[in-house]
């Protein structure tokens, strides 16, 4: 009788989805979507959203709102919530940039 060797397997953590919130719905979304595709980031859900408005504080507020919505939805559907959320914005002379960073 020959015994089969058992193969040691390693568990790989499935990455959590990522949300990238942009201040515009055109160039940043286009650039980031192309970059994600070129890097082959298909193993995780990466959503690029440009519906936040152009002011830095509105980008952050929108990201906070999406995080709360996603948390509820993920719990209801028994899925993973966003693991990371990134806010992408120009750092021109916006009066509320400092508040957005804080």
């Amino acid at each position: 009788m020959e015994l089969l060797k058992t193969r040691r397997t390693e568990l790989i953590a499935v990455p959590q989805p990522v949300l990238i919130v942009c201040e515009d719905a055109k160039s940043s979304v286009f650039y980031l979507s192309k970059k994600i595709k070129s890097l082959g980031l298909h193993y995780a859900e990466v959503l690029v959203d440009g519906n936040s408005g152009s002011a830095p504080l509105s980008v952050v507020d929108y990201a906070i709102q999406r995080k709360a919505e996603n948390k509820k939805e993920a719990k209801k559907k028994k899925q993973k919530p966003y693991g990371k959320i990134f806010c992408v914005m120009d750092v021109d002379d916006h009066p509320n940039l400092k508040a957005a960073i804080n």
Side-chain angles (χ1 to χ4, degrees), residues 1-94:
M1 173 184 236
E2 184 180 342
L3 296 175
L4 298 175
K5 291 183 180 179
T6 58
R7 187 172 70 181
R8 184 175 175 181
T9 58
E10 196 173 320
L11 295 177
I12 299 172
V14 177
Q16 290 180 290
V18 173
L19 173 65
I20 302 172
V21 179
C22 305
E23 72 174 339
D24 67 10
K26 296 177 185 166
S27 60
S28 296
V29 171
F30 176 77
Y31 171 76
L32 289 167
S33 296
K34 289 288 188 183
K35 191 65 173 172
I36 289 164
K37 188 174 182 179
S38 74
L39 292 172
L41 299 178
H42 304 291
Y43 61 87
E45 176 191 353
V46 180
L47 175 65
V48 180
D49 191 328
N51 296 317
S52 65
S54 62
L57 200 52
S58 67
V59 174
V60 173
D61 288 341
Y62 184 76
I64 291 168
Q65 174 191 343
R66 288 295 310 266
K67 179 181 178 182
E69 291 169 359
N70 175 258
K71 189 175 180 180
K72 288 179 188 176
E73 186 178 319
K75 187 174 183 179
K76 187 180 355 176
K77 293 182 178 181
K78 296 183 180 178
Q79 297 174 341
K80 290 185 176 188
Y82 293 131
K84 294 190 184 255
I85 298 175
F86 298 95
C87 295
V88 177
M89 61 194 88
D90 286 336
V91 291
D92 297 333
D93 293 326
H94 286 286

